[in-house]
Amino acid sequence: MPKSKLSAEKLAQNFADLHPAYAPQEARIEAARCLYCWDAPCTRACPTGIDVPTFIRQILEKNSGGAAETILSENILGGSCARACPTEVLCEGACVDRTLEKAPVEIGRLQRFATDYAAKRKLQFFEPGPESGFTVVVVGSGPAGLACAHELRRLGHGVRVLEASDVPGGLNTTGISPYKISTEFALSEVEQASAIGFEIELNSPVTGADLRELLEQNDAVFLGVGLGQTAPLNIPGEDAAGVWEALDFIEQAHRMPLKECEVGTQVVVIGGGNTAVDVATEAVRLGADQTTIAYRRSREQMPAFAYEVELAVSDQIGFEWCVQPVEFVAEAGRLVAVRFRRQRLEGEGRAGTLVDAGGDDLVLPCDQAIKALGQLPRSDFLSSIDGLKIDGGRVVIDDKTRATSVAGLFAGGDCISRGGEIVDAVQDGKIAARGIDHTLRQKPKEPR
Amino acid sequence: MKKPDLATDFCGIRSPNPFWLASGPPTNSAYQVRRAFEAGWGGVVWKTLAHDPVVNVSARYGAVDYHGRKMMGLNNIELISDRSLEENLREITEIKQEFPDRAMIVSLMVESKKETWQDIVQRTEDAGCDGLELNFGCPHGMSERGMGAAVGQVPEYTEMITGWVTEVAKTPVLVKLTPNVADPRPIGQAARRAGAAGLSLINTINSIMGVDLETLHPMPHVGGRGSHGGYCGPAVKPIALNMLQQVAADPAIDLPISGIGGIESWQDAAEFLLLGATSVQVCTAAMHHGFRIVEPMISGLQMWMLEHEFESLSDVQGRVVPDVGGWGELDLAYKVVAEIDQDQCIHCGLCYIACEDGAHQSIHCAKIETDAFLAQHPNGAGAVHQSGGKNYLPGAGAGYVNLLTIDQTTCVGCNLCSLVCPVEDCISMVERDSGLPSMTWNEYQEKLGRGEVDPIAPPEHR
Ligand SMILES: Cc1cc2nc3c(=O)[nH]c(=O)nc-3n(C[C@H](O)[C@H](O)[C@H](O)COP(=O)(O)OP(=O)(O)OC[C@H]3O[C@@H](n4cnc5c(N)ncnc54)[C@H](O)[C@@H]3O)c2cc1C
Ligand SMILES: Cc1cc2nc3c(=O)[nH]c(=O)nc-3n(C[C@H](O)[C@H](O)[C@H](O)COP(=O)(O)O)c2cc1C
Ligand code: SF4
Ligand code: SF4
Ligand code: SF4
């Protein structure tokens, strides 16, 4: 696979922030648009319940530190969320200015303004609670694990975080496109969060057997292990050189200089979700000549968010709808094309079934094909945990506490949802920490 | 389209429209006044003159911004003209000859000595002005030297000095009133007794603009020290309108009034005219935006007059003055209540929290499940938008929409919710039959005294 042919300057430009940071006056002009709603729809639409009107008002009143505290007190990864949240379907999707002015307040960018202010000054708003004497092990240092660990420390519990990878942060550090969250930012956010007093032990994969021991030696364990590899297609040619996994493709841009990243000349991305769009956009930004997204279903049925699709269109990415991949065509072990069978939908919407439409197959010549099919659950690991209930790949939990079927074991993030957003994982971690706290202290009242 | 005539006659001072520039920085020199007249201003009040130019300080101005909109209020510690009298008078002659159809009024302020006043009056009239305005209003600097507001706050001084002026003046004399008094009427009456032909009001209001929270200097400051300055600009308009109406309604005054204070649009001007002004004067708005703002003012006033079929300014001037009076003359039986147009409501909740915490707890908030809400309100404001194959409704969150309704049985009709609602015409105040006979507070007191009516029950509160 060739390395990027673009110059380092061009690459830096292509991977610059998708939404540039506000200058202070710009932020205040935007903040002045906020109506300061009561029982604000934006706050209700935020999975972590950030008090949006309050933090926006604090920006307006030139109290960026206070604004950051408002944000981080509900969402310790407020900086990542400000960069990567699909705000269109969350806070900004609910903003009443969408009706009044036909454009929502840019809540995400304002959130970034405030959290950047605090990050730059390394402001620490939170103190550990009085030591409870309990210890909790958090497995996984992704958004769910970090949020859980931070909240547990605020509540006074001792925390150890075990992370399988050699870098902390989960998908924030390696899986989100770098023009949304840069590696440096993700790592600095981890550092800020852990400054409350917990260590992350890297290169420490936990097995089912380890887990039994951890549960015995500690007061509780939180599972924030996320999901695993993307699903295989199980079609001929899948092991040809040039067939990639979405996560590996994205990760390379976090792991090495952009100039070293490998990218094809003609790239085909298979899938229709946000990951497919991320991968395709990244391929274009790395310098692919032609990038095409091929999806089984129709455009209307693409699970990717509207603004993601718009981004893809503005990046000149081509689309092929209603095509099912049937073969990676290889010559001498190297990929030269992907062959697709044309599909037709029978029945309505996403419930409809796809059937072969007949006619000639579509053959897309390419030297790189990237599978962006959604991640699979970590089934081997999860099924090795005695007594853990799993449903359709999701760890089954109690809604209020995030307790699993195993006593003392809690879970949150992608491993209970089979794929949500960063903000959902943060909320899970926070709720689980409160659930753990509640259980440990035998509080009579249900946590909120 | 025949546009209404804006020609103005202010006790014999004529101008093609009622828009005059108030005495201040914009009327400081021939260069500026020429530009102003070219832009269309009907008249000017030349920056206040004295025998000897004053010395000014820097900095001089401070302002109140409102969430990013600049200069809602302006404060200054500037004094009167800092140019020589001879130069000013020469320029006045020159401009009046160039623009004979415009009103040229000259503002004056000198030491409280008869000869001094009479000398400057004669010299100014010799320069060819159409009228004089006596600045008894400047609240800062000059008042410490026994001039400006120091005169305008005491009816006896006002009467004495105005008398010196009218004794020799051949052109109409206007007295400019200060708002820094409890009641402007005694001063207006004094001016009238002394032979003033008209009044102008208001001058600036005593103020401190603020404190710089970094340096802890008062604002504006001169090397760290501040002084009480004069406040003007849009923020002072309601105060000016109140004083204008009070003076205009006083039969003991009965003089034409040039209205001043916060005027920046045709709407402001129309309100001043309706509440008793014959002409209007503008200072801050011209300082902020330049002379060009007179153009939309003229056009707006004319279009509004056309719509209301007012043919000339005399149809407008003073029209609303009789409609303002004492609180005791208000009808206790008149009742309005708030009503929300659900098709326009964007569900910001501002009306609810305002009534709940700041009024009479008369707005009910019901959480309606989003789909049910959409089914009930197909024309509701807020367009559903789609993303990733799902629907989203602005104003909804956590699966519900707040539906706000007014309890009209407890609503006291205070207006608060309609004032906070960000959507134009979404909350209206509608008239309701209170079931009471029409009766003012004064009548109520009398009838109560005579035992003819029962005490009115206080409103219910939650
Ligand atoms: C390509 C892609 C793009 C995305 N883009 C966005 C986006 O733009 N915006 C957004 O909000 N969300 C996005 N998401 C989703 C988001 O990244 C996830 O929802 C979020 O990271 C889930 O957090 P988590 O903590 O549950 O899991 P992860 O982030 O996956 O973290 C799990 C961590 O657990 C560790 N771990 C796993 N097993 C073990 C074990 N046995 N022992 C120890 N450690 C273990 C892993 O190494 C990892 O560090 C994207 C996801 C993908 C795949
Ligand atoms: C900087 C400045 C200087 C002023 N100087 C004078 C003056 O010399 N004589 C005077 O009568 N009024 C003076 N005024 C008051 C204005 O004429 C006017 O009465 C007041 O500003 C209110 O009108 P506005 O809100 O349109 O500015 C001055 C106002 C400002 C802002
Ligand atoms: S919905 Fe929009 S206007 Fe209302 S508080 Fe939230 S950001 Fe502000
Ligand atoms: S008019 Fe006043 S009392 Fe009535 S609903 Fe509105 S805020 Fe409440
Ligand atoms: S203030 Fe107006 S727009 Fe907002 S909820 Fe009330 S009625 Fe609706």
Side-chain angles (χ1 to χ4, degrees):
Chain A
M1 190 60 46
K3 296 195 188 322
S4 173
K5 62 184 184 203
L6 302 180
S7 68
E9 295 78 54
K10 181 73 190 157
L11 283 167
Q13 200 182 326
N14 283 356
F15 281 78
D17 286 333
L18 208 48
H19 301 293
Y22 277 132
Q25 187 176 5
E26 277 181 290
R28 287 196 298 276
I29 289 172
E30 186 62 15
R33 294 184 56 222
C34 171
L35 300 172
Y36 196 54
C37 295
W38 174 80
D39 189 19
C42 51
T43 292
R44 273 144 53 196
C46 170
T48 55
I50 291 174
D51 187 344
V52 176
T54 296
F55 95 67
I56 293 183
R57 201 168 178 88
Q58 286 167 313
I59 291 175
L60 188 64
E61 294 176 357
K62 302 190 184 178
N63 177 9
S64 304
E69 183 174 9
T70 301
I71 294 161
L72 299 173
S73 66
E74 290 301 342
N75 181 338
I76 191 64
L77 300 190
S80 280
C81 287
R83 289 164 166 77
C85 262
T87 51
E88 174 189 71
V89 299
L90 298 171
C91 53
E92 292 177 22
C95 175
V96 300
D97 268 347
R98 249 182 203 279
T99 310
L100 194 62
E101 302 183 1
K102 302 287 169 279
V105 174
E106 293 198 337
I107 302 166
R109 286 181 77 187
L110 288 169
Q111 180 166 322
R112 167 153 182 206
F113 176 78
T115 49
D116 276 359
Y117 177 93
K120 234 174 259 152
R121 290 161 184 77
K122 298 202 181 302
L123 300 184
Q124 280 294 336
F125 298 106
F126 311 106
E127 298 276 317
E131 293 299 335
S132 67
F134 296 114
T135 60
V136 183
V137 171
V138 170
V139 183
S141 67
L146 284 174
C148 185
H150 188 267
E151 188 70 13
L152 283 167
R153 288 297 298 135
R154 282 180 83 180
L155 293 166
H157 305 300
V159 177
R160 262 178 87 195
V161 180
L162 302 178
E163 168 55 58
S165 169
D166 59 344
V167 287
L171 289 175
N172 270 16
T173 311
T174 58
I176 312 275
S177 301
Y179 49 82
K180 290 184 186 163
I181 302 182
S182 71
T183 325
E184 301 76 61
F185 179 79
L187 292 175
S188 72
E189 202 179 30
V190 172
E191 204 175 299
Q192 277 291 100
S194 52
I196 194 168
F198 60 83
E199 294 296 325
I200 301 172
E201 298 166 34
L202 299 176
N203 305 306
S204 311
V206 172
T207 63
D210 296 339
L211 197 71
R212 205 170 311 122
E213 242 173 73
L214 290 171
L215 277 168
E216 277 165 19
Q217 292 160 4
N218 297 276
D219 299 293
V221 174
F222 174 77
L223 279 188
V225 293
L227 296 168
Q229 287 298 87
T230 41
L233 277 163
N234 297 321
I235 57 171
E238 207 162 345
D239 54 1
V243 179
W244 282 57
E245 274 241 12
L247 288 180
D248 296 337
F249 184 73
I250 295 176
E251 184 163 354
Q252 61 168 344
H254 282 290
R255 292 271 189 179
M256 49 183 142
L258 295 168
K259 193 79 196 102
E260 303 290 309
C261 289
E262 295 176 41
V263 65
T265 328
Q266 285 176 302
V267 179
V268 169
V269 179
I270 299 166
N274 296 311
T275 303
V277 176
D278 277 349
V279 166
T281 331
E282 201 164 315
V284 173
R285 282 158 204 258
L286 282 174
D289 286 342
Q290 202 191 346
T291 305
T292 309
I293 292 178
Y295 181 48
R296 290 185 302 148
R297 293 171 176 268
S298 65
R299 169 163 197 165
E300 294 70 47
Q301 293 175 316
M302 262 183 94
F305 298 126
Y307 74 94
E308 294 268 15
V309 179
E310 265 165 45
L311 180 68
V313 171
S314 72
D315 273 356
Q316 318 243 297
I317 288 162
F319 285 93
E320 292 289 347
W321 313 108
C322 299
V323 290
Q324 173 82 37
V326 288
E327 186 192 354
F328 292 106
V329 187
E331 280 170 14
R334 293 209 60 84
L335 179 74
V336 293
V338 186
R339 198 154 55 78
F340 296 89
R341 194 140 300 156
R342 297 189 189 275
Q343 303 289 300
R344 184 163 51 77
L345 194 70
E346 265 179 12
E348 277 296 300
R350 290 191 65 82
T353 45
L354 291 170
V355 294
D356 283 356
D360 288 348
D361 281 353
L362 169 73
V363 177
L364 291 177
C366 59
D367 53 351
Q368 189 176 29
I370 306 171
K371 298 179 285 178
L373 298 168
Q375 295 166 270
L376 290 177
R378 297 188 189 274
S379 300
D380 289 350
F381 170 68
L382 295 177
S383 54
S384 72
I385 302 170
D386 283 345
L388 186 65
K389 253 199 219 150
I390 300 164
D391 179 19
R394 297 176 186 83
V395 176
V396 177
I397 43 96
D398 171 68
D399 256 358
K400 287 208 173 102
T401 60
R402 305 294 193 267
T404 68
S405 55
V406 178
L409 184 63
F410 295 73
D414 278 359
C415 69
I416 67 166
S417 63
R418 275 209 74 172
E421 312 299 336
I422 301 167
V423 66
D424 300 310
V426 171
Q427 181 68 356
D428 281 342
K430 193 171 90 185
I431 298 289
R434 292 174 189 172
I436 291 168
D437 180 70
H438 170 76
T439 312
L440 295 185
R441 294 180 198 269
Q442 301 276 300
K443 281 187 186 165
K445 243 174 46 193
E446 289 287 316
R448 69 174 173 112
Chain B
M1 188 195 301
K2 190 185 170 312
K3 298 216 174 123
D5 185 13
L6 296 185
T8 305
D9 181 341
F10 188 103
C11 59
I13 303 172
R14 288 169 199 283
S15 63
N17 63 54
F19 297 104
W20 299 354
L21 284 167
S23 176
T27 60
N28 197 39
S29 65
Y31 176 80
Q32 288 165 290
V33 173
R34 182 177 295 115
R35 281 176 55 80
F37 284 159
E38 281 165 0
W41 290 87
V44 296
V45 182
W46 200 276
K47 174 78 182 167
T48 307
L49 303 182
H51 283 100
D52 299 312
V54 297
V55 182
N56 270 309
V57 292
S58 72
R60 303 177 196 177
Y61 307 151
V64 177
D65 298 343
Y66 191 71
H67 294 341
R69 294 304 297 260
K70 303 291 284 183
M71 263 168 62
M72 186 193 75
L74 175 72
N75 145 305
N76 82 89
I77 50 170
E78 188 167 291
L79 304 180
I80 58 177
S81 181
D82 54 10
R83 303 170 66 232
S84 82
L85 180 62
E86 292 70 27
E87 202 177 350
N88 275 304
L89 294 177
R90 201 168 45 248
E91 291 186 355
I92 288 166
T93 310
E94 182 187 317
I95 294 287
K96 183 63 206 178
Q97 278 165 1
E98 246 178 273
F99 297 92
D101 67 325
R102 312 300 170 92
M104 170 65 77
I105 296 147
V106 178
S107 170
L108 300 175
M109 182 204 288
V110 293
E111 253 182 288
S112 299
K113 284 195 191 131
K114 186 171 178 179
E115 314 76 66
T116 317
W117 270 104
Q118 294 191 336
D119 174 72
I120 199 164
V121 165
Q122 277 161 351
R123 289 172 67 182
T124 307
E125 288 192 331
D126 290 347
C129 69
D130 299 314
L132 302 170
E133 186 181 86
L134 311 187
N135 180 351
F136 295 162
C138 186
H140 48 266
M142 304 312 292
S143 54
E144 288 172 21
R145 305 174 198 176
M147 295 181 252
V151 174
Q153 285 166 336
V154 183
E156 293 73 24
Y157 294 169
T158 302
E159 186 167 353
M160 176 176 73
I161 296 176
T162 308
W164 295 340
V165 172
T166 53
E167 201 178 292
V168 293
K170 297 184 215 63
T171 61
V173 175
L174 281 65
V175 171
K176 184 168 180 179
L177 303 187
T178 174
N180 300 305
V181 290
D183 185 345
R185 286 171 292 195
I187 314 289
Q189 291 160 3
R192 184 188 168 114
R193 284 195 299 275
L199 300 175
S200 43
L201 79 158
I202 58 174
N203 209 311
T204 54
I205 304 173
N206 256 332
S207 60
I208 292 175
M209 219 25 34
V211 177
D212 183 317
L213 295 177
E214 293 304 318
T215 61
L216 307 189
H217 293 329
M219 294 192 298
H221 72 94
V222 178
R225 274 194 77 77
S227 185
H228 302 266
Y231 194 41
C232 51
V236 310
K237 184 182 115 183
I239 298 168
L241 287 177
N242 176 56
M243 293 195 158
L244 169 66
Q245 192 277 340
Q246 277 186 312
V247 171
D250 184 353
I253 297 179
D254 193 27
L255 290 174
I257 305 167
S258 190
I260 321 169
I263 298 170
E264 63 167 9
S265 68
W266 69 265
Q267 286 100 329
D268 298 330
E271 291 168 68
F272 271 80
L273 295 170
L274 288 166
L275 283 168
T278 299
S279 72
V280 294
Q281 298 184 25
V282 175
C283 181
T284 304
M287 291 172 70
H288 191 168
H289 306 290
F291 298 131
R292 62 200 165 128
I293 49 144
V294 75
E295 215 176 299
M297 286 185 176
I298 290 174
S299 125
L301 187 62
Q302 283 178 322
M303 296 310 274
W304 171 75
M305 287 172 69
L306 266 181
E307 233 170 77
H308 287 261
E309 298 178 6
F310 296 137
E311 282 165 14
S312 70
L313 291 180
S314 57
D315 293 342
V316 178
Q317 286 152 338
R319 201 178 176 100
V320 178
V321 174
D323 297 338
V324 183
W327 197 94
E329 295 160 25
L330 302 176
D331 187 356
L332 299 178
Y334 180 76
K335 181 170 169 68
V336 288
V337 291
E339 197 157 86
I340 296 177
D341 179 350
Q342 297 295 348
D343 290 346
Q344 295 212 54
C345 173
I346 61 173
H347 311 287
C348 65
L350 292 179
C351 58
Y352 170 78
I353 200 61
C355 187
E356 192 66 11
D357 290 357
H360 295 268
Q361 300 80 45
S362 295
I363 301 185
H364 295 307
C365 177
K367 294 180 178 15
I368 310 285
E369 202 238 318
T370 310
D371 289 337
F373 173 83
L374 284 170
Q376 279 169 27
H377 298 275
N379 304 322
V384 168
H385 58 105
Q386 265 208 341
S387 188
K390 288 197 188 133
N391 289 336
Y392 301 89
L393 176 69
Y400 67 88
V401 175
N402 280 324
L403 186 74
L404 294 315
T405 46
I406 311 275
D407 180 349
Q408 296 187 339
T409 61
T410 60
C411 167
V412 301
C414 70
N415 272 4
L416 183 64
C417 55
S418 72
L419 298 176
V420 300
C421 179
V423 182
E424 244 172 53
D425 303 328
C426 173
I427 300 187
S428 45
M429 303 304 296
V430 293
E431 284 185 31
R432 285 281 182 276
D433 182 1
S434 66
L436 296 170
S438 172
M439 178 170 57
T440 68
W441 167 259
N442 295 342
E443 289 164 355
Y444 173 55
Q445 289 304 296
E446 281 172 26
K447 289 186 177 171
L448 211 54
R450 293 199 296 266
E452 288 171 22
V453 291
D454 292 332
I456 298 174
E460 277 173 42
H461 287 277
R462 213 190 288 160

